[in-house]
Amino acid sequence: MIIAISEELLFKLVEFAENLGRKKERISLFKESQFISQNQAHIRYGKGNVTKWVKAGIVKKYKDADGKLRSGVRYDVLDLESAVFKCNYMKELSPLAKAEMREIISPVP
């Protein structure tokens, strides 16, 4: 399938993929943590967004296995970043680019 996209969207997609690759490399070199706490995820991405992504199955919760009733919850940073992309959460795109993004990502019936 061939889809025509604007130059702005193409540059944003490449930039997003590049940043995600850099983050993955920093994680693999142990310069950055692979997981963040639930509180940090809510602050960084918004509580409503994170909750919505977990319910949709886009992001997985990891509960600390310390046996306590109120164990901490963690999220994979790369899963969260991918959810940002999949759910069109890129704030800096123009309305035209956002519409094109929705068209590309939305499932075809």
Side-chain angles (χ1 to χ4, degrees), residues 60-85:
K60 185 178 176 188
K61 270 187 189 181
Y62 295 94
K63 193 162 183 163
D64 292 343
D66 57 4
K68 295 179 183 175
L69 184 60
R70 293 186 167 259
S71 297
V73 175
R74 307 218 176 272
Y75 297 99
D76 190 322
V77 174
L78 295 177
D79 285 349
L80 289 167
E81 290 293 329
S82 296
V84 168
F85 175 74

Tab-separated table of all heavy atoms in Angstrom, residues 60-85:
chain	number	residue	atom	x	y	z
A	60	LYS	N	1.634	-2.269	29.082
A	60	LYS	CA	1.470	-3.294	30.117
A	60	LYS	C	1.986	-2.777	31.457
A	60	LYS	O	3.028	-2.138	31.520
A	60	LYS	CB	2.234	-4.554	29.718
A	60	LYS	CG	2.030	-5.694	30.668
A	60	LYS	CD	2.757	-6.932	30.214
A	60	LYS	CE	2.592	-8.026	31.249
A	60	LYS	NZ	3.423	-9.174	30.968
A	61	LYS	N	1.221	-3.073	32.519
A	61	LYS	CA	1.632	-2.739	33.887
A	61	LYS	C	2.545	-3.837	34.400
A	61	LYS	O	2.290	-5.011	34.179
A	61	LYS	CB	0.417	-2.727	34.814
A	61	LYS	CG	-0.299	-1.473	34.974
A	61	LYS	CD	-1.348	-1.686	36.060
A	61	LYS	CE	-2.288	-0.543	36.158
A	61	LYS	NZ	-3.280	-0.712	37.210
A	62	TYR	N	3.596	-3.443	35.117
A	62	TYR	CA	4.461	-4.407	35.794
A	62	TYR	C	4.416	-4.093	37.278
A	62	TYR	O	4.818	-3.018	37.703
A	62	TYR	CB	5.909	-4.294	35.282
A	62	TYR	CG	6.054	-4.663	33.832
A	62	TYR	CD1	6.017	-3.694	32.836
A	62	TYR	CD2	6.208	-5.981	33.448
A	62	TYR	CE1	6.153	-4.029	31.502
A	62	TYR	CE2	6.344	-6.331	32.113
A	62	TYR	CZ	6.309	-5.340	31.150
A	62	TYR	OH	6.433	-5.676	29.830
A	63	LYS	N	3.896	-5.020	38.047
A	63	LYS	CA	3.779	-4.823	39.486
A	63	LYS	C	4.994	-5.442	40.163
A	63	LYS	O	5.406	-6.544	39.834
A	63	LYS	CB	2.490	-5.465	40.002
A	63	LYS	CG	2.126	-5.046	41.390
A	63	LYS	CD	0.687	-5.342	41.690
A	63	LYS	CE	0.399	-4.811	43.070
A	63	LYS	NZ	-0.986	-4.665	43.341
A	64	ASP	N	5.568	-4.718	41.123
A	64	ASP	CA	6.717	-5.229	41.864
A	64	ASP	C	6.324	-6.505	42.591
A	64	ASP	O	5.266	-6.583	43.195
A	64	ASP	CB	7.231	-4.188	42.860
A	64	ASP	CG	7.837	-2.983	42.165
A	64	ASP	OD1	8.154	-3.082	40.974
A	64	ASP	OD2	7.987	-1.943	42.830
A	65	ALA	N	7.183	-7.492	42.534
A	65	ALA	CA	6.880	-8.796	43.131
A	65	ALA	C	7.482	-8.909	44.527
A	65	ALA	O	8.238	-9.816	44.821
A	65	ALA	CB	7.407	-9.904	42.235
A	66	ASP	N	7.124	-7.979	45.393
A	66	ASP	CA	7.649	-8.042	46.757
A	66	ASP	C	6.644	-8.623	47.734
A	66	ASP	O	6.892	-8.702	48.926
A	66	ASP	CB	8.119	-6.659	47.221
A	66	ASP	CG	7.036	-5.602	47.144
A	66	ASP	OD1	5.894	-5.959	46.798
A	66	ASP	OD2	7.343	-4.437	47.415
A	67	GLY	N	5.478	-9.039	47.227
A	67	GLY	CA	4.483	-9.695	48.061
A	67	GLY	C	3.631	-8.768	48.901
A	67	GLY	O	2.766	-9.222	49.639
A	68	LYS	N	3.848	-7.479	48.785
A	68	LYS	CA	3.075	-6.532	49.581
A	68	LYS	C	1.762	-6.201	48.874
A	68	LYS	O	1.647	-6.292	47.660
A	68	LYS	CB	3.870	-5.243	49.791
A	68	LYS	CG	5.119	-5.443	50.616
A	68	LYS	CD	5.852	-4.142	50.770
A	68	LYS	CE	7.141	-4.347	51.542
A	68	LYS	NZ	7.930	-3.109	51.592
A	69	LEU	N	0.783	-5.830	49.674
A	69	LEU	CA	-0.532	-5.484	49.134
A	69	LEU	C	-0.451	-4.240	48.242
A	69	LEU	O	-1.068	-4.183	47.193
A	69	LEU	CB	-1.519	-5.249	50.282
A	69	LEU	CG	-2.959	-4.969	49.874
A	69	LEU	CD1	-3.525	-6.151	49.087
A	69	LEU	CD2	-3.804	-4.695	51.094
A	70	ARG	N	0.315	-3.268	48.659
A	70	ARG	CA	0.444	-2.018	47.905
A	70	ARG	C	1.805	-1.943	47.219
A	70	ARG	O	2.559	-0.984	47.400
A	70	ARG	CB	0.252	-0.820	48.813
A	70	ARG	CG	-1.152	-0.709	49.354
A	70	ARG	CD	-1.312	0.576	50.136
A	70	ARG	NE	-2.704	0.834	50.402
A	70	ARG	CZ	-3.430	1.701	49.720
A	70	ARG	NH1	-2.911	2.379	48.748
A	70	ARG	NH2	-4.694	1.872	50.030
A	71	SER	N	2.112	-2.926	46.398
A	71	SER	CA	3.371	-2.945	45.662
A	71	SER	C	3.370	-1.857	44.595
A	71	SER	O	2.321	-1.474	44.079
A	71	SER	CB	3.575	-4.297	44.986
A	71	SER	OG	3.667	-5.314	45.944
A	72	GLY	N	4.554	-1.396	44.255
A	72	GLY	CA	4.689	-0.363	43.234
A	72	GLY	C	4.372	-0.889	41.846
A	72	GLY	O	4.538	-2.070	41.551
A	73	VAL	N	3.906	0.003	40.981
A	73	VAL	CA	3.603	-0.343	39.600
A	73	VAL	C	4.580	0.397	38.708
A	73	VAL	O	4.870	1.569	38.921
A	73	VAL	CB	2.145	0.046	39.243
A	73	VAL	CG1	1.864	-0.186	37.775
A	73	VAL	CG2	1.176	-0.740	40.102
A	74	ARG	N	5.102	-0.300	37.704
A	74	ARG	CA	6.072	0.278	36.780
A	74	ARG	C	5.598	0.079	35.354
A	74	ARG	O	4.833	-0.820	35.059
A	74	ARG	CB	7.428	-0.380	36.970
A	74	ARG	CG	7.893	-0.355	38.411
A	74	ARG	CD	9.377	-0.106	38.525
A	74	ARG	NE	9.779	0.008	39.918
A	74	ARG	CZ	9.761	1.140	40.601
A	74	ARG	NH1	9.331	2.225	40.048
A	74	ARG	NH2	10.154	1.182	41.847
A	75	TYR	N	6.090	0.944	34.467
A	75	TYR	CA	5.783	0.853	33.042
A	75	TYR	C	7.079	0.884	32.245
A	75	TYR	O	8.026	1.581	32.612
A	75	TYR	CB	4.906	2.025	32.593
A	75	TYR	CG	3.555	2.065	33.245
A	75	TYR	CD1	3.311	2.889	34.327
A	75	TYR	CD2	2.517	1.287	32.776
A	75	TYR	CE1	2.067	2.939	34.931
A	75	TYR	CE2	1.263	1.322	33.365
A	75	TYR	CZ	1.053	2.150	34.443
A	75	TYR	OH	-0.183	2.194	35.034
A	76	ASP	N	7.104	0.151	31.142
A	76	ASP	CA	8.248	0.158	30.244
A	76	ASP	C	8.245	1.471	29.463
A	76	ASP	O	7.239	1.845	28.856
A	76	ASP	CB	8.157	-1.030	29.278
A	76	ASP	CG	9.419	-1.231	28.470
A	76	ASP	OD1	10.036	-0.233	28.057
A	76	ASP	OD2	9.778	-2.394	28.237
A	77	VAL	N	9.374	2.169	29.463
A	77	VAL	CA	9.484	3.472	28.809
A	77	VAL	C	9.236	3.355	27.306
A	77	VAL	O	8.548	4.190	26.716
A	77	VAL	CB	10.872	4.098	29.084
A	77	VAL	CG1	11.064	5.375	28.295
A	77	VAL	CG2	11.053	4.358	30.566
A	78	LEU	N	9.775	2.321	26.677
A	78	LEU	CA	9.598	2.161	25.232
A	78	LEU	C	8.144	1.874	24.874
A	78	LEU	O	7.656	2.334	23.838
A	78	LEU	CB	10.515	1.066	24.704
A	78	LEU	CG	12.014	1.345	24.812
A	78	LEU	CD1	12.819	0.154	24.336
A	78	LEU	CD2	12.389	2.588	24.044
A	79	ASP	N	7.434	1.128	25.733
A	79	ASP	CA	6.005	0.897	25.509
A	79	ASP	C	5.236	2.209	25.573
A	79	ASP	O	4.346	2.465	24.758
A	79	ASP	CB	5.435	-0.064	26.557
A	79	ASP	CG	5.839	-1.506	26.324
A	79	ASP	OD1	6.389	-1.800	25.248
A	79	ASP	OD2	5.582	-2.334	27.218
A	80	LEU	N	5.574	3.046	26.544
A	80	LEU	CA	4.901	4.332	26.677
A	80	LEU	C	5.177	5.238	25.478
A	80	LEU	O	4.270	5.876	24.941
A	80	LEU	CB	5.325	5.029	27.978
A	80	LEU	CG	4.797	4.403	29.260
A	80	LEU	CD1	5.533	4.971	30.465
A	80	LEU	CD2	3.309	4.628	29.406
A	81	GLU	N	6.432	5.274	25.050
A	81	GLU	CA	6.784	6.098	23.898
A	81	GLU	C	6.085	5.604	22.632
A	81	GLU	O	5.647	6.392	21.804
A	81	GLU	CB	8.302	6.124	23.693
A	81	GLU	CG	9.048	6.885	24.755
A	81	GLU	CD	8.773	8.383	24.750
A	81	GLU	OE1	8.511	8.957	23.676
A	81	GLU	OE2	8.817	8.988	25.835
A	82	SER	N	5.981	4.299	22.479
A	82	SER	CA	5.267	3.736	21.332
A	82	SER	C	3.783	4.070	21.400
A	82	SER	O	3.149	4.341	20.378
A	82	SER	CB	5.445	2.221	21.284
A	82	SER	OG	6.791	1.904	21.072
A	83	ALA	N	3.231	4.058	22.600
A	83	ALA	CA	1.816	4.413	22.772
A	83	ALA	C	1.584	5.866	22.385
A	83	ALA	O	0.553	6.196	21.794
A	83	ALA	CB	1.378	4.167	24.208
A	84	VAL	N	2.536	6.723	22.700
A	84	VAL	CA	2.432	8.129	22.313
A	84	VAL	C	2.301	8.223	20.796
A	84	VAL	O	1.459	8.943	20.266
A	84	VAL	CB	3.665	8.923	22.795
A	84	VAL	CG1	3.717	10.294	22.161
A	84	VAL	CG2	3.671	9.035	24.300
A	85	PHE	N	3.106	7.458	20.104
A	85	PHE	CA	3.066	7.461	18.638
A	85	PHE	C	1.764	6.860	18.110
A	85	PHE	O	1.100	7.437	17.266
A	85	PHE	CB	4.262	6.685	18.095
A	85	PHE	CG	4.246	6.529	16.607
A	85	PHE	CD1	4.544	7.591	15.782
A	85	PHE	CD2	3.919	5.318	16.041
A	85	PHE	CE1	4.513	7.446	14.413
A	85	PHE	CE2	3.890	5.166	14.676
A	85	PHE	CZ	4.193	6.230	13.862
